[in-house]
Amino acid sequence: MMDWSKHLIVAPILIPLVSGALMLFIADRQRVLKSMVGLVSSLLLLLVSLLLVGIAAADYGASGVYLVANWASPFGIVLVVDRLSAFMVALSAVLSVPVLVFSMARWHSAGAHFHSLFQFLLMGLNGAFLTGDLFNLFVFFEVMLAASYGLLLHGSGPLRVKAGLHYIAVNLAAALLFLIGVSLIYGTAGTLNIADLAARIPGIEPDRRMLMEAGAAVLGVAFLIKAGMWPLCFWLPSAYSVAAAPAAAIFALLSKVGIYIILRLTMLLFAEGPSAGFGSALLLYGGMVTLAFGIIGVLASQALARIGAYSILVSSGTLLAVIGLNDAAATSGALLYLVSSTLTLGAFFLLVELVERCQGAGASVLAVTMEAYGDADDDVPEELDGVTMPATLAMLGVCFAGCTILLAGLPPLSGFIAKFGILSAIIGTGSIGVPPTGPALALAALIIIAGLATLIALTRAGIRTFWSSLDVAVPRVLVVEVAPVLALLALLAALTIQAGPALSYMEAAVRSTGKGGSYLNGVMEEKALPSWRDLQPQASGD
């Protein structure tokens, strides 16, 4: 990377940090000002993230390293951007903009400090994607979780409070496991820098290797809780289904943080040596069980929000199982599936609130509270809540059909292309180079069944909502509410058209992330800049 572009690496962390802190000093009554600050911050973050993606792609996957305190690895705090981390940062920025626009209609006024919490959540997400050591991963992980606690409780209500308490308790337990795992790894390897760990783990003595692997297992449990692997996912459907629509939409990305970290550590730390393949079988079979559990939940659910929550488990189970296969071609397809499913679920959770207005305000736990509708705000007259659009039901129906096609993986949209890439690699045309095994075939069957189950569940829900219900009313929908959903669906249509370049990018990301890629060399070879003392002219002796 060029010298000036290295400073862009820290920008995805600084931008939401500064804007979120600034908005704490703005009174909650000044919602328009807060909205503008938050939107400008998210747009600037989107611009920076796209620049990072372009730089990472132009450098053929070479890592860009930023030494925060100007201490070289493995002693200093290091931020690393490569193809994988760059596109994850871009994904969070792309999703954040429409979600934030949607919230400006009603939800940002349902509680205090919504915009600050939203920015701090983005800061934690981007920090987790960019950090190069496990300790700072814990720091950013906690920042992300602390902000998510507030966003889950945003809008109040007994259901949110109950689910929020469960969510907080589970994630605090995961944080404790995180610390235990990190402590065990540091005690055996003597470092927490990810690149340095990748170099040291193959040479760890056999008597200490078991303790190191135990630490990695405990650390993995913390990430699997966040990723939602069965049976650690019992908290997720309740929490995601009762969250406010913008919170649930951005939460679609939170489970992908755990999956991203598991993928990163698996490909770097356990790619070769005596611990090669550590945890792969657990990821494969655990992902398949999670996928099956998600299928059952999707079919059993009646509320749209519950279907969306279990669809997140279907997505997580698919990604975890594919990671467990240790196949580069399947992993490339899985990364495209990660992008497609995350954006689709974000659009779906936003759409759920609009669709369920057809059935009345009491039809769902996602019905907007009185505060969110602005009834408690004397500054906004009731007649300005929204205008009835002539084609509202038709527009919502088209959006619902688009989400159904994407989640079910039907052609011709990006969900189908991503699943086709995964299935073609599993069946035998990928980089494994051997006939598919029994578990691989079972995974392929589960992926196909998951698409069929999603199609059945959403078709049933769509018929009940748009066609068979006798009390369907044309909902009041603001343009600022439906535009973000349309924007996300349009973006997914563009992803379908550009699926070839996207898959090529994902394949290069997988190659550069592995131990034979540029990540290790880029981190360990980055030199600290000369200090001011080094630049001073030396005094000549007498």
Side-chain angles (χ1 to χ4, degrees):
M1 297 181 70
M2 294 174 287
D3 291 338
W4 66 267
S5 62
K6 287 189 176 181
H7 298 288
L8 290 177
I9 300 175
V10 74
I13 300 173
L14 289 181
I15 292 173
L17 171 62
V18 173
S19 61
L22 177 63
M23 286 187 287
L24 291 175
F25 297 97
I26 302 176
D28 286 333
R29 293 181 179 179
Q30 297 178 304
R31 298 191 182 105
V32 175
L33 178 58
K34 280 195 168 186
S35 300
M36 292 301 103
V37 173
L39 184 58
V40 170
S41 173
S42 295
L43 290 173
L44 184 59
L45 178 61
L46 176 60
L47 175 62
V48 170
S49 65
L50 293 179
L51 287 174
L52 288 176
V53 170
I55 292 171
D59 287 347
Y60 303 99
S63 299
V65 182
Y66 189 85
L67 304 178
V68 177
N70 201 31
W71 283 76
S73 299
F75 306 106
I77 299 174
V78 58
L79 302 177
V80 187
V81 63
D82 58 358
R83 287 177 179 262
L84 181 59
S85 59
F87 102 79
M88 291 299 295
V89 171
L91 178 61
S92 67
V94 167
L95 182 60
S96 69
V97 174
V99 170
L100 190 59
V101 171
F102 184 94
S103 69
M104 291 165 58
R106 309 176 191 273
W107 275 110
H108 72 140
S109 61
H113 304 302
F114 172 84
H115 290 286
S116 293
L117 290 171
F118 193 87
Q119 294 299 319
F120 291 145
L121 180 72
L122 293 179
M123 172 197 168
L125 282 169
N126 295 335
F129 295 143
L130 293 173
T131 186
D133 65 272
L134 294 180
F135 179 79
N136 287 285
L137 175 61
F138 172 78
V139 173
F140 289 117
F141 202 72
E142 288 303 299
V143 171
M144 177 191 72
L145 290 178
S148 69
Y149 300 155
L151 289 177
L152 179 58
L153 296 172
H154 186 78
S156 68
L159 291 177
R160 291 194 185 101
V161 172
K162 180 180 178 181
L165 291 176
H166 292 169
Y167 178 81
I168 293 171
V170 170
N171 283 281
L172 287 177
L176 177 61
L177 293 176
F178 196 131
L179 285 177
I180 294 173
V182 166
S183 301
L184 290 173
I185 292 175
Y186 183 74
T188 54
T191 183
L192 292 178
N193 183 282
I194 296 176
D196 198 30
L197 276 172
R200 294 191 186 192
I201 283 179
I204 292 179
E205 297 84 352
D207 58 337
R208 293 194 298 160
R209 181 173 304 281
M210 184 176 295
L211 188 60
M212 185 277 300
E213 292 179 350
V218 174
L219 186 65
V221 170
F223 297 137
L224 290 174
I225 290 175
K226 199 59 192 172
M229 191 180 83
W230 188 90
L232 308 173
C233 61
F234 62 91
W235 57 273
L236 191 148
S238 298
Y240 281 47
S241 61
V242 302
I250 199 66
F251 282 4
L253 186 59
L254 295 190
S255 61
K256 306 305 185 292
V257 177
I259 292 172
Y260 163 82
I261 297 169
I262 289 172
L263 175 62
R264 172 78 74 184
L265 299 184
T266 299
M267 297 183 69
L268 282 175
L269 305 187
F270 305 110
E272 58 185 40
S275 298
F278 175 77
S280 295
L282 175 65
L283 292 176
L284 174 59
Y285 292 106
M288 292 170 60
V289 174
T290 305
L291 181 54
F293 180 76
I295 292 172
I296 296 172
V298 165
L299 289 174
S301 299
Q302 299 296 321
L304 289 175
R306 298 283 295 186
I307 295 176
Y310 280 105
S311 296
I312 289 181
L313 295 182
V314 171
S315 173
S316 295
T318 302
L319 293 169
L320 290 171
V322 171
I323 293 173
L325 286 175
N326 290 323
D327 176 43
T331 303
S332 302
L335 290 178
L336 182 63
Y337 174 73
L338 185 152
V339 176
S340 177
S341 63
T342 301
L343 295 179
T344 304
L345 287 167
F348 183 78
F349 279 116
L350 297 180
L351 184 64
V352 164
E353 179 186 327
L354 306 181
V355 169
E356 290 188 339
R357 293 181 192 173
C358 302
Q359 303 169 346
S364 170
V365 294
L366 280 180
V368 183
T369 61
M370 297 295 289
E371 293 85 359
Y373 270 96
D375 293 336
D377 189 355
D378 296 333
D379 297 333
V380 182
E382 184 177 356
E383 61 269 20
L384 294 181
D385 277 350
V387 294
T388 302
M389 301 174 63
T392 299
L393 284 177
M395 185 180 301
L396 294 180
V398 170
C399 293
F400 188 87
C403 290
T404 300
I405 293 172
L406 285 162
L407 289 176
L410 297 178
L413 298 182
S414 58
F416 168 77
I417 297 175
K419 286 189 175 182
F420 182 81
I422 296 174
L423 292 174
S424 63
I426 291 176
I427 292 173
T429 60
S431 63
I432 296 179
V434 295
T437 60
L441 292 176
L443 174 59
L446 282 174
I447 292 175
I448 296 173
I449 294 172
L452 177 61
T454 303
L455 179 63
I456 292 173
L458 289 179
T459 302
R460 178 184 62 196
I463 292 174
R464 184 175 63 249
T465 301
F466 295 100
W467 290 347
S468 63
S469 179
L470 299 178
D471 57 347
V472 171
V474 178
R476 292 185 176 272
V477 176
L478 291 171
V479 174
V480 75
E481 291 176 313
V482 72
V485 179
L486 293 173
L488 286 172
L489 293 178
L491 185 61
L492 287 163
L495 180 62
T496 303
I497 298 173
Q498 296 296 322
L503 272 174
S504 299
Y505 182 94
M506 302 306 178
E507 291 171 358
V510 172
R511 289 196 302 269
S512 65
T513 302
K515 197 163 184 180
S518 61
Y519 186 95
L520 299 184
N521 294 333
V523 174
M524 300 308 297
E525 294 178 1
E526 184 70 15
K527 303 298 182 183
L529 296 175
S531 65
W532 65 273
R533 294 186 181 88
D534 298 329
L535 299 176
Q536 295 297 319
Q538 299 293 328
S540 58
D542 293 333

